[in-house]
Amino acid sequence: MTGSHKGAAGRRRGGRLRRTALIGLSFLVLLVAGVGWGYLKLNGSIDTFSADGISGDRPPDTSSGQNVLVIGSDSRSGDNSGLGGGTGEVGRSDTAFLLHVYADHKHAVAVSIPRDSLVDIPACKKPGGDWTAPQQHVMFNGAFSVGETAEGNPACTQNTVEHLTGLRVDHTVVVDFAGFSALTSAVGGVPVCLPQDVYQRDLNPKRPTRGELVFGKGPQTVSGQRALDYVRLRHGIGDGSDIGRIKRQQAFVGSLVKKVKSRGLNPTTLLPLANAATDAMTVDPGLGSADKLLSFAMSMKNIDLHNTKFVTVPWRYEGARVAIVEPEADALWAALKADRTIDGQDAAGTSRGKGATPGPGTTASGATPSPTGPVSGEGIDVAVYNGTTVTGLAARAAELLRTHGFTVTGTATANSQDQTRTVVTYGPGLRDEAETTARLFGGARTTESGEPGIQVIVGRDYADNPSAAPASPTPDTVPSAVADGARSADDDPCSDLSYG
């Protein structure tokens, strides 16, 4: 799926390395890889992946800001082979975040999406040209492995993030951990802070003895392999969870960005970083040259450290996996779409939307009505299925749809009667109609299916509260749990060590 020139796969060895720390490399890729110095050299170092696998059913491009999806690759090819990480021949990703650069070019936020999040993966293109069937309620990091190639499938991950968020992804960047290691060395190390001593068994829980001291308690600077050892810590620090590690690594990234800016932005300091960055990444064609990277980098030059934020999508545990919490997550995506910052500021700049200013009731694409207006189902055909054991629930939902102008083509019992949450499935080209339908069922999720038309499978949530109003998040409100948990790039690395 990619056009990478990185070396052939090396020998696999154990020790799964979580790539959440590649957020730091990704930020710096975008900040420094576009500098003009070494322009020709950088041009020859940039790899791109094919855009053929990007879905044709995408959210409208209505924001003046930009969304960049950054994926941490678990590839063991080339220089990665000696640094630990995943095993096997298939490229994997344990880290992804959506970087939103606000329209005012003075604010940015990176939203981490946990690798174990249960999401819907839409149809994705495989290397042979075939498209997969959509998958429901599966692990998020599975999208990158669709097609089972060593390079991974960044287009599929982009499709999944667009489906999840309703935000259009402007660019996608894939980064590897060899580049991360080189970058932390090029910057002269990154200040970190540990709440306790860390030993070899903390890196490898299967080790029978505690082993030697790896990191002492307190502030210190790490680079290269030690930086990789630090960011892979999980069991011996904080609460031992992958979520906890994401929080701690967000602090690491903030410290890394702060270190780079403290060295000054000049040719002497930036060129080694730019070389490390471009050697470590694969990008979509829209960022595939030095001048394109330069243009994007210049759009970020005025973002203050304090206005560079890190958050995690609202979540809760669902067994051993992670469920994304609604409507809180939808409220976060709506705020980004409206260019509202984490603390509620209007950062839309002088215009809203990349095109003409939208008229009343329409977006800049001229198609989708405001999600807070009345629901009209005129021209939309829907089939309704009862996904519970509650008698008459499909008929009740069908009557609700008819009162709002929908055409109900039939009602029936679903194949499974253990549906907890109402789901609206839709065929090709019916995303907007499905989202309109879902607005009648508070908390319903939409998902693409291989079947034509729109189907509503009502769940226990509708049986328990059939009069629930649609959850229409206000675009100027970020959930307090998200805002309160945000971290800034200028925070002290020793602050808030509850996650290590």
Side-chain angles (χ1 to χ4, degrees), residues 65-361:
Q66 293 196 71
N67 299 305
V68 181
L69 173 63
V70 180
I71 305 167
S73 170
D74 199 2
S75 170
R76 295 298 313 280
S77 63
D79 293 339
N80 293 323
S81 60
L83 294 172
T87 60
E89 299 294 327
V90 178
R92 304 188 186 281
S93 171
D94 280 346
T95 294
F97 72 90
L98 187 66
L99 173 65
H100 181 73
V101 180
Y102 291 87
D104 67 356
H105 303 299
K106 296 180 180 179
H107 298 79
V109 60
V111 183
S112 296
I113 304 173
R115 64 188 180 97
D116 292 339
S117 299
L118 295 172
V119 301
D120 295 331
I121 298 178
C124 290
K125 190 175 184 179
K126 297 192 293 185
D130 295 334
W131 288 74
T132 63
Q135 304 176 61
Q136 285 80 44
H137 210 54
V138 294
M139 283 176 56
F140 170 69
N141 67 348
F144 192 73
S145 300
V146 167
E148 299 187 336
T149 65
E151 297 85 0
N153 195 330
C156 186
T157 303
Q158 177 175 323
N159 294 343
T160 302
V161 169
E162 290 192 336
H163 181 79
L164 171 68
T165 66
L167 294 164
R168 191 179 185 93
V169 174
D170 297 288
H171 299 294
T172 293
V173 178
V174 182
V175 292
D176 65 39
F177 52 94
F180 165 76
S181 175
L183 185 65
T184 58
S185 297
V187 78
V190 179
V192 299
C193 195
L194 291 101
Q196 64 200 52
D197 290 342
V198 174
Y199 293 86
Q200 288 178 315
R201 188 166 56 190
D202 298 323
L203 289 173
N204 179 14
K206 295 182 180 180
R207 184 185 176 92
T209 62
R210 185 175 71 170
E212 298 179 359
L213 180 70
V214 179
F215 299 105
K217 177 181 178 179
Q220 55 206 278
T221 298
V222 296
S223 64
Q225 182 65 54
R226 280 180 56 79
L228 289 174
D229 288 343
Y230 173 83
V231 299
R232 67 179 292 205
L233 280 173
R234 174 178 175 181
H235 299 284
I237 196 168
D239 65 0
S241 71
D242 191 63
I243 297 291
R245 179 167 44 192
I246 288 175
K247 298 280 288 184
R248 176 170 47 83
Q249 291 168 342
Q250 288 171 348
F252 178 92
V253 173
S255 184
L256 175 58
V257 174
K258 185 176 181 180
K259 177 66 177 291
V260 170
K261 289 203 169 186
S262 72
R263 288 161 54 93
L265 301 182
N266 59 69
T268 301
T269 60
L270 287 182
L271 188 54
L273 304 181
N275 287 335
T278 55
D279 282 343
M281 70 180 180
T282 302
V283 301
D284 69 276
L287 284 178
S289 66
D291 60 329
K292 291 175 181 177
L293 282 168
L294 175 61
S295 176
F296 184 83
M298 290 301 97
S299 73
M300 299 178 67
K301 63 184 176 64
N302 293 324
I303 300 177
D304 183 76
L305 286 174
H306 185 70
N307 293 330
T308 302
K309 304 290 188 181
F310 303 89
V311 301
T312 304
V313 65
W315 64 278
R316 61 175 173 80
Y317 283 117
E318 186 170 304
R321 305 304 182 203
V322 171
I324 293 176
V325 176
E326 302 293 358
E328 287 83 353
D330 280 345
L332 173 60
W333 309 133
L336 300 188
K337 193 178 297 185
D339 278 314
R340 288 280 177 176
T341 65
I342 296 300
D343 56 1
Q345 297 181 51
D346 182 356
T350 58
S351 63
R352 296 185 180 273
K354 294 185 177 72
T357 302

Side-chain angles (χ1 to χ4, degrees), residues 446-471:
T446 61
T447 181
E448 184 181 6
S449 72
E451 301 297 323
I454 295 174
Q455 297 82 35
V456 176
I457 303 96
V458 288
R460 172 57 63 177
D461 57 345
Y462 181 66
D464 292 341
N465 191 11
S467 61

